[in-house]
Amino acid sequence: MYLKIKRMIDIVLSFIGMVVLTPIFIILIIVIKLDTKGPVLFKQKRVGIKKTHFHILKFRTMRIDTPKDTPTHLLGNPDQYITKVGKFLRKTSLDELPQIWNIFLGHMSIIGPRPALWNQYDLIAERDNFGANDIPPGLTGWAQINGRDELPIEVKAKLDGEYVNRIGIMMDMKCFFGTIINVVKRDGIVEGGTGTKASTDSVKSKETV
């Protein structure tokens, strides 16, 4: 029942977001075009509900010669590919804004496990253990506010499973407001690496966020 209500909330809020944020979209489009050659939007195949595939949308933050379908932490030295404007967009999470369209279409939800790359087989397999592939992926989620890029795969999947088990309006509100706090503080962003949090013990101390 809650998933149906959640979908209605996603439709309403994503529509409002697209209307309200139009001026910011226009400004970012201009800035990106002036910064480097290439498209404004970046499309990438991701894993959706029930492990179906869809193309996620982001504002482009990397050069057009960046290796495709490679997680940032596997690039070795990702800074060489990230554009000047891209660094700002990633730190502020503004590069994620085009996903409002993915939410409106039903590919994603506002809150849920972050969609894995189609070839992140280790993360997909771990999420299967917790039922985290059986709900729509999200713009942000429980793992995002409890470590984000710092989390190793197994911890991230376990946190996604905790979200599945506790899914509801209160859990979504925790994730939503926790995300705002993390974006302001710029917590959990690690370009080129993951795994500074080795166990769930350090993560659980943040569950009151």
Side-chain angles (χ1 to χ4, degrees):
M1 181 63 182
Y2 176 68
L3 287 178
K4 293 182 180 180
I5 297 173
K6 183 178 171 73
R7 176 60 189 146
M8 293 304 299
I9 294 173
D10 286 338
I11 292 173
V12 172
L13 292 185
S14 60
F15 179 77
I16 293 174
M18 285 187 291
V19 174
V20 172
L21 295 173
T22 294
I24 294 178
F25 273 76
I26 294 173
I27 292 171
L28 292 179
I29 288 170
I30 294 172
V31 171
I32 292 170
K33 290 299 290 183
L34 291 175
D35 183 42
T36 56
K37 294 181 179 179
V40 170
L41 293 178
F42 170 72
K43 294 182 180 180
Q44 192 175 57
K45 188 162 72 172
R46 296 291 183 109
V47 178
I49 186 171
K50 303 294 184 181
K51 292 187 283 190
T52 56
H53 291 158
F54 72 99
H55 284 91
I56 199 171
L57 298 176
K58 292 187 177 187
F59 281 124
R60 183 175 59 83
T61 61
M62 291 187 166
R63 301 197 320 250
I64 57 176
D65 61 340
T66 304
K68 294 182 179 180
D69 292 330
T70 303
T72 303
H73 69 279
L74 295 181
L75 287 175
N77 181 19
D79 284 339
Q80 65 178 311
Y81 297 108
I82 300 174
T83 65
K84 292 179 181 179
V85 171
K87 289 181 180 179
F88 170 76
L89 294 177
R90 292 166 79 94
K91 285 182 179 179
T92 57
S93 295
L94 289 173
D95 61 316
E96 311 282 359
L97 286 182
Q99 287 162 53
I100 293 175
W101 181 243
N102 288 121
I103 294 170
F104 185 74
L105 292 179
H107 300 149
M108 296 172 59
S109 179
I110 295 173
I111 308 296
R114 281 296 294 163
L117 275 167
W118 66 273
N119 58 357
Q120 283 184 292
Y121 304 115
D122 51 353
L123 176 57
I124 297 167
E126 282 289 333
R127 283 178 169 172
D128 268 338
N129 296 328
F130 300 101
N133 291 316
D134 297 330
I135 63 172
L139 180 64
T140 186
W142 190 235
Q144 292 300 103
I145 68 171
N146 282 292
R148 195 173 176 175
D149 297 332
E150 296 177 345
L151 299 174
I153 294 298
E154 62 274 12
V155 177
K156 185 179 294 185
K158 186 171 183 178
L159 285 168
D160 290 334
E162 287 180 16
Y163 174 77
V164 174
N165 291 330
R166 299 169 57 185
I167 192 169
I169 187 66
M170 293 305 297
M171 186 61 163
D172 279 359
M173 288 180 67
K174 280 187 178 182
C175 293
F176 182 81
F177 290 109
T179 298
I180 294 175
I181 293 172
N182 280 5
V183 168
V184 172
K185 294 169 63 179
R186 298 182 182 177
D187 278 353
I189 300 175
V190 181
E191 300 292 8
T194 61
T196 61
K197 294 181 184 292
S199 71
T200 56
D201 292 339
S202 60
V203 174
K204 286 181 180 178
S205 65
K206 292 187 177 182
E207 288 188 0
T208 57
V209 174

